[in-house]
Amino acid sequence: MTDTQIIAPVPAKAETPFAQFRAEFFESKIAVGALITLGIVVVLALLAPWITPQNPYDLAQVDVMDARLPPGEEAFSGYTMWLGSDGSGRDLFSAILYGLRISLAVGVASGVIALFIGTFVGLFAAYVGGRVETLIMRFVDLQLSFPASLVALMLVALLGKGVDKIILALVVSQWAYYARTVRATALVERHKEYVEAAICLGLSKARIMFRHILPNCLGPLIVVGTVQVASAISLEATLSFLGVGLPQTQPSLGVLIANGFEYMLSGRYWISVFPGLALLLTVVSINLVGDHLRDVLNPRMKK
Amino acid sequence: MTEILKVTGLCTHFFTRAGVVKAVDGVDISLNRGEVLGLVGESGSGKSITGFSIMNLIDAPGRMTGGRISFKGRDLSQLSETAWQDLRGNRIAMIFQDPMMTLNPVLRIDVQMIEAIQAHEKVSRTTARERARDTLGMVGIPAPDERLKAYPHQLSGGMRQRVAIAIAFLNKPDLIIADEPTTALDVTIQSQIIHEAQKLTRQTGTAMIWISHDLAVVAGIADQISVMYAGRIVEHGPTDYVIDNPRHPYTYGLLGSVPSANKRGARLFQIDGMAPNMLALPRGCAFGPRCDRAVDVCAAAPGMSQSCTQKFRCHNPVPEAVKVAK
């Protein structure tokens, strides 16, 4: 052998891990359907001020004469209330879209904040190890042994009403899930050979943790993240339904359901049922997307 | 010839619940600039642990319990963790066995290489990138610009090992410890990698410890060979002498069990028994119970004997006149 020349197969196209993941995700029709539904829900919520016939919180636009109109009835001011109106004359379609805005915002905000805190704590625990790790993880265990709704309920009872307080309560009751997931994944990754190789390159510990281990933990983290956002949304609805969540001036879906609840027995089902359906649709589609993400990202579930 | 690495009496023991495992028990290594030392032994003989000890990467329950490692005249035992960080990847680099595992799967090749340069030198990204590309070219990777943008899973095993070697050579280290770097590769790729590694050590003057269980591989690349058995070096000498005229019965047995074209159809030599339990090493010579040349004195541990060409640890060595059948 005079000179080593090897002919390497050039990959047909630069297929990034992301492209691979995308192709696998789009194999499932249910997941794609759920993703599209979720997309529509999010777009409707975002565009609420421009597509609703009424701003349900502008008292000048709400007419008590329109109260409790059944679905499809024409309102006093001329437009059709396709989903009916609630006890104070608000158009339910508009109220639901505005409520979705708040529910989604609260769910995503608390989910993202909890993700950052949980990831940092979990990674820190895996990084320092020893007693500090044990201490942190036992605290996480302790918190996870309480139902999330109980923790959130206690906190809201202490803190009072308000969007910021609800978000805080949701973050406190959910960060531990992320911490546990990240720490477990990081521990597995830490003993892989590429980490040893990185140590042999003389990279700093922090760099190895954040640059090498964290990206490899993203799979499980994304899955837990989507599921937790869905559960944050339903948890917020639960709190609001119980009357300890968001105030009447910022009605989320939970508040709308609670408002209509008293009319259920008198046959005016729509005031509660339509917000409930909207909530169901949102949470189920997020969960379906999350489920399928787990199937795609978990190597053990691969065919 | 300047001495790069001098290891004397290295002991690394593992304190397990079942007892103390003397994985490395009194190993001496001396390595000059540009020299390649082949460290040979079967699984569990302590050759990898020797490599990791030099890098100070022994995890609990293991600990370096004795010996001195001096690198370019500097004693490494008192080094702080930050000083180690500075040394690793910069002056001493390492190549691992499985190229599928040693590159981070989610980072592109260029990211990993630039990072390795910038960890030790204040250079711009463009300079680092150029150097990464040049080094990839040096290890025989065609179209290095495209490879830089690839993810590890897009490369074949041989290609990844070339990348790993390129990363090891990036900062022009004085010493590279290669831990079975060709074991996971098929034979044709193996010979290419060896060729490449040998060329690079000659070009750059980097000394190398090539750890392997395969005498044939080591014979092709090493200037000197140390054969390890049960945590000790049992034979050491220039490659040609050790291969052609092994004195220790273990080396003799290893060489005799290598199949070759001339031995077709003939029964290969076989070393009886199994590798010893490291928790309960036999008294005296650890190889004694498996040795067909064992005599009464073997109940006492043999010291290092020195012939004019090589060193060996045996009471009843294979006579110089006996050559290995090829």
Side-chain angles (χ1 to χ4, degrees), chain A residues 4 6 8 15 17 193-194 197 199-203 207 211-212 215-216, chain B residues 57 85 88-89 96 101-102 104 106 111 115 120 154 159 167 192 196:
Chain A
T4 38
I6 42 168
E15 204 187 72
E193 225 170 279
Y194 71 84
I199 296 171
C200 283
L201 285 178
L203 305 183
R207 196 176 175 88
R211 208 77 175 117
H212 287 249
N216 281 293
Chain B
L57 284 175
Q85 235 173 56
R88 286 187 203 128
F96 291 88
M101 305 291 295
T102 47
N104 190 329
V106 300
V111 175
E115 182 177 65
H120 299 289
Q154 294 169 324
M159 203 58 95
I167 291 178
Q192 288 169 1
E196 226 57 80

PDB file of all heavy atoms in Angstrom, chain A residues 4 6 8 15 17 193-194 197 199-203 207 211-212 215-216, chain B residues 57 85 88-89 96 101-102 104 106 111 115 120 154 159 167 192 196:
ATOM      1  N   THR A   4      -2.792   5.550   1.226  1.00  0.00           N
ATOM      2  CA  THR A   4      -4.140   5.123   1.581  1.00  0.00           C
ATOM      3  C   THR A   4      -5.163   6.082   0.999  1.00  0.00           C
ATOM      4  O   THR A   4      -5.221   7.246   1.337  1.00  0.00           O
ATOM      5  CB  THR A   4      -4.324   5.083   3.102  1.00  0.00           C
ATOM      6  OG1 THR A   4      -3.613   6.183   3.628  1.00  0.00           O
ATOM      7  CG2 THR A   4      -3.844   3.787   3.660  1.00  0.00           C
ATOM      8  N   ILE A   6      -9.170   6.073   0.395  1.00  0.00           N
ATOM      9  CA  ILE A   6     -10.413   5.327   0.543  1.00  0.00           C
ATOM     10  C   ILE A   6     -11.539   6.111  -0.097  1.00  0.00           C
ATOM     11  O   ILE A   6     -11.584   7.334  -0.044  1.00  0.00           O
ATOM     12  CB  ILE A   6     -10.761   5.045   2.015  1.00  0.00           C
ATOM     13  CG1 ILE A   6     -10.467   6.290   2.850  1.00  0.00           C
ATOM     14  CG2 ILE A   6     -10.019   3.860   2.526  1.00  0.00           C
ATOM     15  CD1 ILE A   6     -11.028   6.197   4.218  1.00  0.00           C
ATOM     16  N   ALA A   8     -15.042   6.998   0.241  1.00  0.00           N
ATOM     17  CA  ALA A   8     -16.103   6.975   1.236  1.00  0.00           C
ATOM     18  C   ALA A   8     -17.420   7.299   0.577  1.00  0.00           C
ATOM     19  O   ALA A   8     -17.483   8.158  -0.284  1.00  0.00           O
ATOM     20  CB  ALA A   8     -15.815   7.995   2.313  1.00  0.00           C
ATOM     21  N   GLU A  15     -28.540  14.599   5.960  1.00  0.00           N
ATOM     22  CA  GLU A  15     -29.730  14.373   6.758  1.00  0.00           C
ATOM     23  C   GLU A  15     -29.420  14.611   8.228  1.00  0.00           C
ATOM     24  O   GLU A  15     -28.734  13.830   8.868  1.00  0.00           O
ATOM     25  CB  GLU A  15     -30.228  12.946   6.548  1.00  0.00           C
ATOM     26  CG  GLU A  15     -31.704  12.825   6.856  1.00  0.00           C
ATOM     27  CD  GLU A  15     -32.167  11.391   6.805  1.00  0.00           C
ATOM     28  OE1 GLU A  15     -31.825  10.629   7.715  1.00  0.00           O
ATOM     29  OE2 GLU A  15     -32.882  11.045   5.851  1.00  0.00           O
ATOM     30  N   PRO A  17     -30.142  15.017  12.301  1.00  0.00           N
ATOM     31  CA  PRO A  17     -31.007  14.249  13.195  1.00  0.00           C
ATOM     32  C   PRO A  17     -32.420  14.818  13.207  1.00  0.00           C
ATOM     33  O   PRO A  17     -33.399  14.089  13.326  1.00  0.00           O
ATOM     34  CB  PRO A  17     -30.335  14.438  14.552  1.00  0.00           C
ATOM     35  CG  PRO A  17     -28.920  14.759  14.247  1.00  0.00           C
ATOM     36  CD  PRO A  17     -28.926  15.472  12.933  1.00  0.00           C
ATOM     37  N   GLU A 193     -19.213   6.880  26.583  1.00  0.00           N
ATOM     38  CA  GLU A 193     -17.807   7.058  26.252  1.00  0.00           C
ATOM     39  C   GLU A 193     -17.496   8.447  25.698  1.00  0.00           C
ATOM     40  O   GLU A 193     -16.403   8.963  25.886  1.00  0.00           O
ATOM     41  CB  GLU A 193     -17.363   5.985  25.262  1.00  0.00           C
ATOM     42  CG  GLU A 193     -16.030   5.379  25.644  1.00  0.00           C
ATOM     43  CD  GLU A 193     -15.727   4.158  24.803  1.00  0.00           C
ATOM     44  OE1 GLU A 193     -16.237   3.075  25.093  1.00  0.00           O
ATOM     45  OE2 GLU A 193     -14.967   4.318  23.846  1.00  0.00           O
ATOM     46  N   TYR A 194     -18.481   9.062  25.022  1.00  0.00           N
ATOM     47  CA  TYR A 194     -18.177  10.367  24.445  1.00  0.00           C
ATOM     48  C   TYR A 194     -17.907  11.403  25.533  1.00  0.00           C
ATOM     49  O   TYR A 194     -17.175  12.361  25.305  1.00  0.00           O
ATOM     50  CB  TYR A 194     -19.285  10.834  23.495  1.00  0.00           C
ATOM     51  CG  TYR A 194     -20.577  11.237  24.132  1.00  0.00           C
ATOM     52  CD1 TYR A 194     -20.738  12.527  24.630  1.00  0.00           C
ATOM     53  CD2 TYR A 194     -21.633  10.357  24.248  1.00  0.00           C
ATOM     54  CE1 TYR A 194     -21.926  12.905  25.216  1.00  0.00           C
ATOM     55  CE2 TYR A 194     -22.820  10.727  24.835  1.00  0.00           C
ATOM     56  CZ  TYR A 194     -22.963  12.001  25.321  1.00  0.00           C
ATOM     57  OH  TYR A 194     -24.127  12.379  25.913  1.00  0.00           O
ATOM     58  N   ALA A 197     -14.406  10.838  26.475  1.00  0.00           N
ATOM     59  CA  ALA A 197     -13.574  11.424  25.427  1.00  0.00           C
ATOM     60  C   ALA A 197     -13.498  12.935  25.596  1.00  0.00           C
ATOM     61  O   ALA A 197     -12.440  13.543  25.404  1.00  0.00           O
ATOM     62  CB  ALA A 197     -14.133  11.073  24.050  1.00  0.00           C
ATOM     63  N   ILE A 199     -13.751  14.557  28.395  1.00  0.00           N
ATOM     64  CA  ILE A 199     -12.869  14.824  29.534  1.00  0.00           C
ATOM     65  C   ILE A 199     -11.417  14.742  29.073  1.00  0.00           C
ATOM     66  O   ILE A 199     -10.586  15.561  29.442  1.00  0.00           O
ATOM     67  CB  ILE A 199     -13.133  13.814  30.669  1.00  0.00           C
ATOM     68  CG1 ILE A 199     -14.548  13.995  31.208  1.00  0.00           C
ATOM     69  CG2 ILE A 199     -12.120  13.999  31.801  1.00  0.00           C
ATOM     70  CD1 ILE A 199     -14.980  12.922  32.179  1.00  0.00           C
ATOM     71  N   CYS A 200     -11.149  13.756  28.220  1.00  0.00           N
ATOM     72  CA  CYS A 200      -9.789  13.590  27.707  1.00  0.00           C
ATOM     73  C   CYS A 200      -9.367  14.748  26.808  1.00  0.00           C
ATOM     74  O   CYS A 200      -8.186  14.911  26.534  1.00  0.00           O
ATOM     75  CB  CYS A 200      -9.666  12.295  26.922  1.00  0.00           C
ATOM     76  SG  CYS A 200      -9.566  10.872  27.986  1.00  0.00           S
ATOM     77  N   LEU A 201     -10.336  15.510  26.322  1.00  0.00           N
ATOM     78  CA  LEU A 201      -9.981  16.678  25.518  1.00  0.00           C
ATOM     79  C   LEU A 201      -9.654  17.865  26.404  1.00  0.00           C
ATOM     80  O   LEU A 201      -9.269  18.921  25.930  1.00  0.00           O
ATOM     81  CB  LEU A 201     -11.139  17.048  24.590  1.00  0.00           C
ATOM     82  CG  LEU A 201     -11.340  16.163  23.375  1.00  0.00           C
ATOM     83  CD1 LEU A 201     -12.543  16.627  22.590  1.00  0.00           C
ATOM     84  CD2 LEU A 201     -10.105  16.183  22.504  1.00  0.00           C
ATOM     85  N   GLY A 202      -9.855  17.687  27.698  1.00  0.00           N
ATOM     86  CA  GLY A 202      -9.558  18.777  28.620  1.00  0.00           C
ATOM     87  C   GLY A 202     -10.634  19.840  28.665  1.00  0.00           C
ATOM     88  O   GLY A 202     -10.367  20.973  29.041  1.00  0.00           O
ATOM     89  N   LEU A 203     -11.867  19.485  28.282  1.00  0.00           N
ATOM     90  CA  LEU A 203     -12.952  20.464  28.357  1.00  0.00           C
ATOM     91  C   LEU A 203     -13.375  20.622  29.815  1.00  0.00           C
ATOM     92  O   LEU A 203     -13.242  19.706  30.608  1.00  0.00           O
ATOM     93  CB  LEU A 203     -14.142  19.990  27.527  1.00  0.00           C
ATOM     94  CG  LEU A 203     -13.857  19.674  26.066  1.00  0.00           C
ATOM     95  CD1 LEU A 203     -15.132  19.282  25.351  1.00  0.00           C
ATOM     96  CD2 LEU A 203     -13.238  20.870  25.373  1.00  0.00           C
ATOM     97  N   ARG A 207     -18.778  22.903  30.707  1.00  0.00           N
ATOM     98  CA  ARG A 207     -18.954  22.804  29.271  1.00  0.00           C
ATOM     99  C   ARG A 207     -19.452  21.416  28.879  1.00  0.00           C
ATOM    100  O   ARG A 207     -20.331  21.269  28.049  1.00  0.00           O
ATOM    101  CB  ARG A 207     -17.618  23.087  28.582  1.00  0.00           C
ATOM    102  CG  ARG A 207     -17.813  23.385  27.126  1.00  0.00           C
ATOM    103  CD  ARG A 207     -16.543  23.771  26.430  1.00  0.00           C
ATOM    104  NE  ARG A 207     -16.854  23.920  25.036  1.00  0.00           N
ATOM    105  CZ  ARG A 207     -17.280  25.027  24.489  1.00  0.00           C
ATOM    106  NH1 ARG A 207     -17.444  26.103  25.229  1.00  0.00           N
ATOM    107  NH2 ARG A 207     -17.569  25.083  23.212  1.00  0.00           N
ATOM    108  N   ARG A 211     -22.919  21.512  27.189  1.00  0.00           N
ATOM    109  CA  ARG A 211     -22.730  21.450  25.750  1.00  0.00           C
ATOM    110  C   ARG A 211     -22.834  20.017  25.224  1.00  0.00           C
ATOM    111  O   ARG A 211     -23.267  19.779  24.116  1.00  0.00           O
ATOM    112  CB  ARG A 211     -21.336  21.997  25.491  1.00  0.00           C
ATOM    113  CG  ARG A 211     -21.092  22.615  24.213  1.00  0.00           C
ATOM    114  CD  ARG A 211     -21.509  23.908  23.844  1.00  0.00           C
ATOM    115  NE  ARG A 211     -20.907  24.054  22.530  1.00  0.00           N
ATOM    116  CZ  ARG A 211     -21.592  24.207  21.429  1.00  0.00           C
ATOM    117  NH1 ARG A 211     -22.873  24.309  21.489  1.00  0.00           N
ATOM    118  NH2 ARG A 211     -20.988  24.296  20.285  1.00  0.00           N
ATOM    119  N   HIS A 212     -22.407  19.059  26.047  1.00  0.00           N
ATOM    120  CA  HIS A 212     -22.372  17.680  25.563  1.00  0.00           C
ATOM    121  C   HIS A 212     -23.506  16.842  26.123  1.00  0.00           C
ATOM    122  O   HIS A 212     -24.131  16.086  25.407  1.00  0.00           O
ATOM    123  CB  HIS A 212     -21.032  17.032  25.906  1.00  0.00           C
ATOM    124  CG  HIS A 212     -19.911  17.544  25.059  1.00  0.00           C
ATOM    125  ND1 HIS A 212     -19.291  16.786  24.117  1.00  0.00           N
ATOM    126  CD2 HIS A 212     -19.339  18.754  25.001  1.00  0.00           C
ATOM    127  CE1 HIS A 212     -18.361  17.502  23.506  1.00  0.00           C
ATOM    128  NE2 HIS A 212     -18.371  18.710  24.027  1.00  0.00           N
ATOM    129  N   PRO A 215     -27.664  18.510  25.477  1.00  0.00           N
ATOM    130  CA  PRO A 215     -28.334  18.251  24.185  1.00  0.00           C
ATOM    131  C   PRO A 215     -28.762  16.797  24.020  1.00  0.00           C
ATOM    132  O   PRO A 215     -29.753  16.514  23.364  1.00  0.00           O
ATOM    133  CB  PRO A 215     -27.266  18.614  23.148  1.00  0.00           C
ATOM    134  CG  PRO A 215     -26.335  19.509  23.848  1.00  0.00           C
ATOM    135  CD  PRO A 215     -26.331  19.090  25.279  1.00  0.00           C
ATOM    136  N   ASN A 216     -28.037  15.892  24.656  1.00  0.00           N
ATOM    137  CA  ASN A 216     -28.409  14.484  24.555  1.00  0.00           C
ATOM    138  C   ASN A 216     -29.571  14.129  25.466  1.00  0.00           C
ATOM    139  O   ASN A 216     -30.117  13.037  25.383  1.00  0.00           O
ATOM    140  CB  ASN A 216     -27.200  13.603  24.874  1.00  0.00           C
ATOM    141  CG  ASN A 216     -26.265  13.513  23.689  1.00  0.00           C
ATOM    142  OD1 ASN A 216     -26.602  12.943  22.672  1.00  0.00           O
ATOM    143  ND2 ASN A 216     -25.098  14.104  23.805  1.00  0.00           N
TER     144      ASN A 216
ATOM    145  N   LEU B  57      -7.512   9.369  35.145  1.00  0.00           N
ATOM    146  CA  LEU B  57      -8.962   9.240  34.949  1.00  0.00           C
ATOM    147  C   LEU B  57      -9.487   7.973  35.611  1.00  0.00           C
ATOM    148  O   LEU B  57     -10.359   7.301  35.093  1.00  0.00           O
ATOM    149  CB  LEU B  57      -9.293   9.194  33.457  1.00  0.00           C
ATOM    150  CG  LEU B  57      -9.244  10.516  32.716  1.00  0.00           C
ATOM    151  CD1 LEU B  57      -9.483  10.308  31.239  1.00  0.00           C
ATOM    152  CD2 LEU B  57     -10.255  11.483  33.278  1.00  0.00           C
ATOM    153  N   GLN B  85      -6.773  19.476  33.455  1.00  0.00           N
ATOM    154  CA  GLN B  85      -7.636  19.880  32.349  1.00  0.00           C
ATOM    155  C   GLN B  85      -6.812  20.507  31.235  1.00  0.00           C
ATOM    156  O   GLN B  85      -7.086  20.319  30.052  1.00  0.00           O
ATOM    157  CB  GLN B  85      -8.638  20.897  32.864  1.00  0.00           C
ATOM    158  CG  GLN B  85     -10.063  20.516  32.589  1.00  0.00           C
ATOM    159  CD  GLN B  85     -11.006  21.471  33.266  1.00  0.00           C
ATOM    160  OE1 GLN B  85     -10.939  22.677  33.065  1.00  0.00           O
ATOM    161  NE2 GLN B  85     -11.876  20.942  34.088  1.00  0.00           N
ATOM    162  N   ARG B  88      -4.740  17.504  29.525  1.00  0.00           N
ATOM    163  CA  ARG B  88      -5.517  16.540  28.737  1.00  0.00           C
ATOM    164  C   ARG B  88      -6.003  17.175  27.441  1.00  0.00           C
ATOM    165  O   ARG B  88      -6.540  18.266  27.431  1.00  0.00           O
ATOM    166  CB  ARG B  88      -6.753  16.097  29.515  1.00  0.00           C
ATOM    167  CG  ARG B  88      -6.462  15.164  30.629  1.00  0.00           C
ATOM    168  CD  ARG B  88      -7.770  14.667  31.198  1.00  0.00           C
ATOM    169  NE  ARG B  88      -7.572  14.227  32.575  1.00  0.00           N
ATOM    170  CZ  ARG B  88      -8.294  14.637  33.597  1.00  0.00           C
ATOM    171  NH1 ARG B  88      -9.283  15.492  33.411  1.00  0.00           N
ATOM    172  NH2 ARG B  88      -8.055  14.179  34.802  1.00  0.00           N
ATOM    173  N   GLY B  89      -5.824  16.453  26.378  1.00  0.00           N
ATOM    174  CA  GLY B  89      -6.291  16.954  25.086  1.00  0.00           C
ATOM    175  C   GLY B  89      -5.328  17.947  24.485  1.00  0.00           C
ATOM    176  O   GLY B  89      -5.398  18.261  23.308  1.00  0.00           O
ATOM    177  N   PHE B  96     -10.008   6.278  21.711  1.00  0.00           N
ATOM    178  CA  PHE B  96     -10.713   5.166  22.340  1.00  0.00           C
ATOM    179  C   PHE B  96     -11.023   4.053  21.359  1.00  0.00           C
ATOM    180  O   PHE B  96     -10.874   4.191  20.151  1.00  0.00           O
ATOM    181  CB  PHE B  96     -12.016   5.663  22.963  1.00  0.00           C
ATOM    182  CG  PHE B  96     -11.784   6.536  24.149  1.00  0.00           C
ATOM    183  CD1 PHE B  96     -11.617   7.902  23.998  1.00  0.00           C
ATOM    184  CD2 PHE B  96     -11.725   5.994  25.413  1.00  0.00           C
ATOM    185  CE1 PHE B  96     -11.402   8.706  25.088  1.00  0.00           C
ATOM    186  CE2 PHE B  96     -11.517   6.796  26.505  1.00  0.00           C
ATOM    187  CZ  PHE B  96     -11.349   8.154  26.341  1.00  0.00           C
ATOM    188  N   MET B 101     -18.951   5.373  19.748  1.00  0.00           N
ATOM    189  CA  MET B 101     -19.356   5.907  21.037  1.00  0.00           C
ATOM    190  C   MET B 101     -18.611   7.179  21.441  1.00  0.00           C
ATOM    191  O   MET B 101     -19.069   7.908  22.298  1.00  0.00           O
ATOM    192  CB  MET B 101     -19.111   4.858  22.137  1.00  0.00           C
ATOM    193  CG  MET B 101     -19.758   3.526  21.886  1.00  0.00           C
ATOM    194  SD  MET B 101     -21.548   3.625  22.014  1.00  0.00           S
ATOM    195  CE  MET B 101     -21.721   4.033  23.752  1.00  0.00           C
ATOM    196  N   THR B 102     -17.441   7.428  20.835  1.00  0.00           N
ATOM    197  CA  THR B 102     -16.618   8.492  21.404  1.00  0.00           C
ATOM    198  C   THR B 102     -16.902   9.866  20.821  1.00  0.00           C
ATOM    199  O   THR B 102     -16.412  10.844  21.342  1.00  0.00           O
ATOM    200  CB  THR B 102     -15.125   8.191  21.208  1.00  0.00           C
ATOM    201  OG1 THR B 102     -14.932   7.797  19.856  1.00  0.00           O
ATOM    202  CG2 THR B 102     -14.678   7.098  22.116  1.00  0.00           C
ATOM    203  N   ASN B 104     -19.675  12.784  20.151  1.00  0.00           N
ATOM    204  CA  ASN B 104     -20.997  13.152  20.645  1.00  0.00           C
ATOM    205  C   ASN B 104     -22.001  13.110  19.494  1.00  0.00           C
ATOM    206  O   ASN B 104     -21.834  13.811  18.501  1.00  0.00           O
ATOM    207  CB  ASN B 104     -20.933  14.549  21.251  1.00  0.00           C
ATOM    208  CG  ASN B 104     -22.204  14.892  21.994  1.00  0.00           C
ATOM    209  OD1 ASN B 104     -23.284  14.428  21.641  1.00  0.00           O
ATOM    210  ND2 ASN B 104     -22.077  15.700  23.021  1.00  0.00           N
ATOM    211  N   VAL B 106     -24.901  14.314  18.937  1.00  0.00           N
ATOM    212  CA  VAL B 106     -25.740  15.456  18.557  1.00  0.00           C
ATOM    213  C   VAL B 106     -24.936  16.672  18.108  1.00  0.00           C
ATOM    214  O   VAL B 106     -25.509  17.691  17.755  1.00  0.00           O
ATOM    215  CB  VAL B 106     -26.692  15.881  19.690  1.00  0.00           C
ATOM    216  CG1 VAL B 106     -27.609  14.747  20.072  1.00  0.00           C
ATOM    217  CG2 VAL B 106     -25.936  16.386  20.884  1.00  0.00           C
ATOM    218  N   VAL B 111     -17.991  21.328  15.179  1.00  0.00           N
ATOM    219  CA  VAL B 111     -18.217  21.863  16.522  1.00  0.00           C
ATOM    220  C   VAL B 111     -17.295  21.169  17.524  1.00  0.00           C
ATOM    221  O   VAL B 111     -16.628  21.813  18.340  1.00  0.00           O
ATOM    222  CB  VAL B 111     -19.691  21.664  16.933  1.00  0.00           C
ATOM    223  CG1 VAL B 111     -19.912  22.102  18.366  1.00  0.00           C
ATOM    224  CG2 VAL B 111     -20.609  22.426  15.996  1.00  0.00           C
ATOM    225  N   GLU B 115     -14.090  23.072  19.310  1.00  0.00           N
ATOM    226  CA  GLU B 115     -14.148  23.104  20.761  1.00  0.00           C
ATOM    227  C   GLU B 115     -12.863  22.565  21.386  1.00  0.00           C
ATOM    228  O   GLU B 115     -12.333  23.118  22.347  1.00  0.00           O
ATOM    229  CB  GLU B 115     -15.333  22.234  21.163  1.00  0.00           C
ATOM    230  CG  GLU B 115     -15.636  22.149  22.598  1.00  0.00           C
ATOM    231  CD  GLU B 115     -16.894  21.311  22.791  1.00  0.00           C
ATOM    232  OE1 GLU B 115     -16.872  20.110  22.487  1.00  0.00           O
ATOM    233  OE2 GLU B 115     -17.888  21.878  23.203  1.00  0.00           O
ATOM    234  N   HIS B 120      -7.952  24.977  24.580  1.00  0.00           N
ATOM    235  CA  HIS B 120      -6.554  25.107  25.001  1.00  0.00           C
ATOM    236  C   HIS B 120      -5.840  26.296  24.395  1.00  0.00           C
ATOM    237  O   HIS B 120      -4.725  26.612  24.781  1.00  0.00           O
ATOM    238  CB  HIS B 120      -5.799  23.829  24.632  1.00  0.00           C
ATOM    239  CG  HIS B 120      -6.346  22.622  25.313  1.00  0.00           C
ATOM    240  ND1 HIS B 120      -6.187  22.403  26.652  1.00  0.00           N
ATOM    241  CD2 HIS B 120      -7.098  21.604  24.860  1.00  0.00           C
ATOM    242  CE1 HIS B 120      -6.791  21.278  26.990  1.00  0.00           C
ATOM    243  NE2 HIS B 120      -7.362  20.782  25.912  1.00  0.00           N
ATOM    244  N   GLN B 154     -23.376  10.050  10.256  1.00  0.00           N
ATOM    245  CA  GLN B 154     -23.308  10.039   8.793  1.00  0.00           C
ATOM    246  C   GLN B 154     -21.995   9.456   8.293  1.00  0.00           C
ATOM    247  O   GLN B 154     -21.798   9.313   7.099  1.00  0.00           O
ATOM    248  CB  GLN B 154     -23.482  11.462   8.257  1.00  0.00           C
ATOM    249  CG  GLN B 154     -24.865  12.016   8.533  1.00  0.00           C
ATOM    250  CD  GLN B 154     -24.967  13.483   8.242  1.00  0.00           C
ATOM    251  OE1 GLN B 154     -24.018  14.236   8.469  1.00  0.00           O
ATOM    252  NE2 GLN B 154     -26.102  13.911   7.750  1.00  0.00           N
ATOM    253  N   MET B 159     -14.167   5.945   9.238  1.00  0.00           N
ATOM    254  CA  MET B 159     -14.111   7.392   9.084  1.00  0.00           C
ATOM    255  C   MET B 159     -14.170   8.083  10.442  1.00  0.00           C
ATOM    256  O   MET B 159     -13.454   9.036  10.712  1.00  0.00           O
ATOM    257  CB  MET B 159     -15.302   7.810   8.216  1.00  0.00           C
ATOM    258  CG  MET B 159     -15.132   9.115   7.517  1.00  0.00           C
ATOM    259  SD  MET B 159     -13.705   9.106   6.466  1.00  0.00           S
ATOM    260  CE  MET B 159     -14.441   8.676   4.928  1.00  0.00           C
ATOM    261  N   ILE B 167      -8.798  14.421  16.029  1.00  0.00           N
ATOM    262  CA  ILE B 167      -9.040  15.220  17.237  1.00  0.00           C
ATOM    263  C   ILE B 167      -7.874  15.054  18.204  1.00  0.00           C
ATOM    264  O   ILE B 167      -7.419  16.016  18.817  1.00  0.00           O
ATOM    265  CB  ILE B 167     -10.385  14.827  17.890  1.00  0.00           C
ATOM    266  CG1 ILE B 167     -11.541  15.279  16.996  1.00  0.00           C
ATOM    267  CG2 ILE B 167     -10.516  15.443  19.281  1.00  0.00           C
ATOM    268  CD1 ILE B 167     -12.907  14.909  17.501  1.00  0.00           C
ATOM    269  N   GLN B 192      -5.260   0.471   7.444  1.00  0.00           N
ATOM    270  CA  GLN B 192      -5.175   1.875   7.016  1.00  0.00           C
ATOM    271  C   GLN B 192      -4.962   2.795   8.205  1.00  0.00           C
ATOM    272  O   GLN B 192      -4.146   3.718   8.172  1.00  0.00           O
ATOM    273  CB  GLN B 192      -6.465   2.285   6.296  1.00  0.00           C
ATOM    274  CG  GLN B 192      -6.609   1.665   4.926  1.00  0.00           C
ATOM    275  CD  GLN B 192      -8.003   1.884   4.367  1.00  0.00           C
ATOM    276  OE1 GLN B 192      -8.842   2.516   4.991  1.00  0.00           O
ATOM    277  NE2 GLN B 192      -8.244   1.354   3.190  1.00  0.00           N
ATOM    278  N   GLU B 196      -1.850   5.239   8.964  1.00  0.00           N
ATOM    279  CA  GLU B 196      -2.069   6.665   9.175  1.00  0.00           C
ATOM    280  C   GLU B 196      -1.438   7.128  10.496  1.00  0.00           C
ATOM    281  O   GLU B 196      -0.745   8.143  10.547  1.00  0.00           O
ATOM    282  CB  GLU B 196      -3.580   6.896   9.215  1.00  0.00           C
ATOM    283  CG  GLU B 196      -4.104   8.041   8.406  1.00  0.00           C
ATOM    284  CD  GLU B 196      -3.750   7.965   6.939  1.00  0.00           C
ATOM    285  OE1 GLU B 196      -4.403   7.224   6.164  1.00  0.00           O
ATOM    286  OE2 GLU B 196      -2.827   8.693   6.566  1.00  0.00           O
TER     287      GLU B 196
END
